Every structure is written in C-alpha cells, then in structure tokens.
Amino acid sequence: MGERTGALGLRERKKRATRAALAEAAVRLAAARGAENVTVEAISAEVGVSPRTFFNYFEHRDDAFVMIDSDAGRRVRSAVVAAPARLSPLEAVRDALAAELADVEDRHELWRLRAEVLQQAPHLLVRSLGAHMADERGLAEAVAQRLGERAGDSVGLYPRLVAATAGTAVRVAIEHWSAASAEAFLPIFHSAFAQLAAGLPASPPTTGARPADH
C-alpha cells in the first residue's frame, strides 16, 4: 500500500510538472509571437512531447494560454470539504487556495506574461472568465456540502458569496502581486482574505503581514 501511494504521488507530481511546462511554453510563445500565431505543435515541441500528449492536459489550445487546470479545481474542492471543522468556510477556502498557489512565487514572470497575453487577446480573456465562473460554481457547491446542504438542492446565497468573493480576492491579489515585483505574494493573498473576513472595514489594515489564524 505504501509503495502504491508513493507511486501515485510521483505520477501526480510528474503530471502537474508537465501541465505547468506546457502552460509556460504556451504563454511565452504567445507573448513573443501573439497567441493567434502559436500552434499546439509549437507548444508541444517546446516541451518535448507530442501534440497528442498536449491534449491529455488541455481540452483546447487556448486553455494553455489561459493556464486552465481542471484538476486544480477538483483539488481545491476536495480540500474545502475535508478541511477541519474548526475552520470557517472562508478559512477553509483560503487554506485550500493557498496550498494550490504555493509555487506562485517561483512563477512571477510567467503570471506577468499571462496578463499581457490576455490583454492582447480579448477572446482569451473571455475564456479565462468562463473558466473562473465554472470554478466558482464548483467551489460554491463544495462550501454548500461542507455546510451540510443536501446534494441536488440549489446552492444557497451564502456558499455562492463565499466562492465569488474568494475568487475575486485571488484574482485581485495575483494582479496586484504581478504588478508589484518587489512584493511577496502570500502576504498580499492573506491580507486580501483578512479584509474579506473583517467585512471590508472602512479603512484598510496595514498590509505586508500575514494575519494570525484563529
């Protein structure tokens, strides 16, 4: 059992590394040439895999430019449902997202280039928005499950608000961090969630320090 768990862990790490490499190649090529001039074959060649392998990770060429990762959404939803009962729904979502974004510090240039690519290609911006909306719906369902709402019931207002505000906090934190190369990401991320948890006070708290968990 232990060997199989280790093997599964290794396969998952390799899978995530390959997906990340394909997304990085796609974004860099799009930034240099324009997304419309980048083919699946060119992206695959940069990573040393076949176009067929590319489609094991992305349903559409444009998903690589947008860095859509359907597996990431599933991991976040599972983590939210499994989080300790002592955490509030927002805290559970925060921790799940923080774990998923653990390597973002090492990819600052890539996120900056991604923002440039999306700005230059409105259809990719629309695709990104659609993917985020789908993730938001799934996250709201995970929050509802955590709260004990029955499967099949329409998702209530509260889970939808938690998912929507959390998604916005992540987007704003990444955009702010991408534009401020001297700042670390995690303090910005945690400051955004602390302000949400505080109900967005009339004046912002001092940024830069991670708030203590309760």
Side-chain angles (χ1 to χ4, degrees):
M1 179 67 71
E3 290 182 358
R4 180 161 180 77
T5 300
L8 286 172
L10 178 60
R11 285 198 292 271
E12 177 63 20
R13 288 195 297 273
K14 287 183 175 180
K15 180 179 178 180
R16 294 181 69 171
T18 300
R19 184 192 296 274
L22 287 166
E24 180 169 355
V27 170
R28 291 188 182 280
L29 289 172
R33 307 177 186 176
E36 69 279 5
N37 299 315
V38 179
T39 63
V40 168
E41 289 75 14
I43 298 169
S44 303
E46 286 289 312
V47 180
V49 300
S50 69
R52 181 176 180 179
T53 297
F54 175 93
F55 288 110
N56 288 337
Y57 294 92
F58 300 100
E59 292 185 5
H60 190 278
R61 182 202 63 160
D62 288 354
D63 290 347
F65 302 132
V66 178
M67 294 168 59
I68 292 175
D69 184 353
S70 57
D71 289 343
R74 285 192 286 270
R75 289 192 296 269
V76 168
R77 293 192 293 272
S78 296
V80 167
V81 173
R86 62 180 174 78
L87 296 181
S88 70
L90 184 62
E91 289 170 336
V93 170
R94 177 202 63 195
D95 289 356
L97 291 169
E100 197 61 40
L101 294 167
D103 66 344
V104 75
E105 291 279 6
D106 300 326
R107 309 179 80 191
H108 189 280
E109 182 190 7
L110 181 63
W111 281 95
R112 180 183 61 79
L113 289 176
R114 175 183 180 271
E116 293 179 3
V117 169
L118 295 186
Q119 289 172 1
Q120 295 167 5
H123 76 284
L124 293 180
L125 191 59
V126 171
R127 194 174 192 87
S128 177
L129 178 61
H132 286 308
M133 291 179 66
D135 282 342
E136 182 183 305
R137 288 193 295 271
L139 185 55
E141 291 171 358
V143 173
Q145 182 179 346
R146 181 177 177 81
L147 293 172
E149 295 186 10
R150 293 179 302 177
D153 289 348
S154 60
V155 176
L157 179 63
Y158 179 80
R160 292 173 61 189
L161 282 172
V162 170
T165 54
T168 299
V170 172
R171 177 180 60 80
V172 171
I174 288 177
E175 289 175 354
H176 181 83
W177 167 75
S178 296
S181 58
E183 296 188 45
F185 173 71
L186 283 179
I188 296 171
F189 173 91
H190 284 286
S191 177
F193 274 83
Q195 292 182 59
L196 282 183
L200 290 178
S203 58
T206 302
T207 58
R210 174 176 175 171
D213 291 332
H214 298 291

